[in-house]
């Protein structure tokens, strides 16, 4: 199935139907995780943050929180690796923290498969090649996630994102979905080698971002 036809007439309806079914089937899981988050990490239960989506349009992404709000004597939040509890690490390694993104998919902000939605601050740091990741809806999972997730470099991640944009198809999406399920069980690539999650993207050093 050609990518353009698939994107226009199949991918969005498929995302809507599958996300609705998933939300209904996982409703008990949502409730259990929400109760545990409230008990172990406090409130709010959900982590909400604005992220750029299709065509760089900003939307509010939902996740279960995985960190505490511990602060130092100056009122500043402690480093991620301090605030990320054992329970929070479990939520991330199992990808249970990302379950609320099913509602983003239902709304049309996201898709099951696509480049992961990153921070708004990164928009001004992308070069023209990297900006192409916003030509499709961001995904719950993507090619970069099944290829290493947070354990690969930013350059590798962006190249995989753009490769997906150029090769999106029904079969490619389902290949990524099945690989994602496998990765969740194996719990690979959750963290980078030097940080609790993933280092901030600082731009393309030594390169004009507009080239």
């Amino acid at each position: 199935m050609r990518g353009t036809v698939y994107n226009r007439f199949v991918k969005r309806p498929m995302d809507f139907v599958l996300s609705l079914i998933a939300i209904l089937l996982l409703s008990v899981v949502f409730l259990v995780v929400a109760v545990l988050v409230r008990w172990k990490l406090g409130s709010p239960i959900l982590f909400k943050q604005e992220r750029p989506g299709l065509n760089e349009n900003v939307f509010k992404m939902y996740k279960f929180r995985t960190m505490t709000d511990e602060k130092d004597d100056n009122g500043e939040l402690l480093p991620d690796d301090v605030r990320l509890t054992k329970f929070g690490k479990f939520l991330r390694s199992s990808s249970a923290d990302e379950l609320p993104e099913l509602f983003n998919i239902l709304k049309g902000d996201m898709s099951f498969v696509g480049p992961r939605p990153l921070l708004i601050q990164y928009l001004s740091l992308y070069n023209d090649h990297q900006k192409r990741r916003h030509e499709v809806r961001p995904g719950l999972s993507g090619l970069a996630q099944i290829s290493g997730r947070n354990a690969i470099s930013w350059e590798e991640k962006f190249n995989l994102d753009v490769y997906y944009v150029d090769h999106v198809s029904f079969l490619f999406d389902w290949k990524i979905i099945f690989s994602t399920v496998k990765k969740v069980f194996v719990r690979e690539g959750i963290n980078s080698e030097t940080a609790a999650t993933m280092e901030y993207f600082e731009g393309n050093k030594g390169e004009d971002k507009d080239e």
Side-chain angles (χ1 to χ4, degrees), residues 71-91:
K71 299 179 180 180
D72 59 22
D73 294 337
N74 297 318
E76 299 291 331
L77 287 173
L78 294 174
D80 288 357
D81 58 348
V82 176
R83 296 187 296 118
L84 184 61
T85 66
K86 184 178 294 186
F87 175 66
K89 290 178 181 178
F90 168 75
L91 289 180

Side-chain angles (χ1 to χ4, degrees), residues 26-189:
L26 297 172
S27 57
V28 175
V29 177
F30 271 96
L31 179 60
V32 170
V33 174
V35 170
L36 289 174
V37 170
R38 178 66 180 85
W39 176 40
K40 291 180 174 291
L41 300 175
S43 61
I45 294 172
L46 292 180
F47 170 77
K48 304 174 185 178
Q49 190 175 59
E50 291 188 332
R51 298 289 178 95
L54 177 64
N55 298 321
E56 299 184 7
N57 292 321
V58 175
F59 69 96
K60 188 167 290 186
M61 187 182 76
Y62 310 116
K63 300 178 71 171
F64 283 120
R65 69 180 298 177
T66 57
M67 295 186 183
T68 66
D69 288 328
E70 294 178 88
K71 299 179 180 180
D72 59 22
D73 294 337
N74 297 318
E76 299 291 331
L77 287 173
L78 294 174
D80 288 357
D81 58 348
V82 176
R83 296 187 296 118
L84 184 61
T85 66
K86 184 178 294 186
F87 175 66
K89 290 178 181 178
F90 168 75
L91 289 180
R92 291 193 177 195
S93 65
S94 65
S95 295
D97 63 316
E98 296 179 1
L99 285 176
E101 290 171 44
L102 289 170
F103 289 96
N104 287 122
I105 298 174
L106 189 69
K107 290 169 56 183
D109 299 325
M110 294 176 60
S111 174
F112 273 98
V113 180
R116 284 293 296 166
L118 300 176
L119 299 177
I120 292 178
Q121 299 94 298
Y122 295 168
L123 288 175
S124 62
L125 302 177
Y126 297 144
N127 58 32
D128 288 342
H129 174 72
Q130 294 162 349
K131 286 181 179 179
R132 295 197 57 221
R133 70 193 309 278
H134 294 290
E135 292 178 11
V136 297
R137 282 185 176 84
L140 183 64
S141 184
L143 184 59
Q145 281 60 53
I146 66 169
S147 303
R149 199 171 176 178
N150 289 335
I152 61 177
S153 70
W154 281 113
E155 183 179 5
E156 291 172 303
K157 184 176 296 186
F158 292 141
N159 286 338
L160 289 167
D161 288 343
V162 176
Y163 181 90
Y164 172 79
V165 170
D166 289 333
H167 297 84
V168 58
S169 70
F170 178 82
L171 292 178
F172 197 17
D173 273 1
W174 278 100
K175 178 181 178 181
I176 292 173
I177 289 171
F178 287 129
S179 295
T180 299
V181 173
K182 179 182 176 182
K183 289 285 183 180
V184 168
F185 283 106
V186 176
R187 300 183 185 179
E188 293 179 343

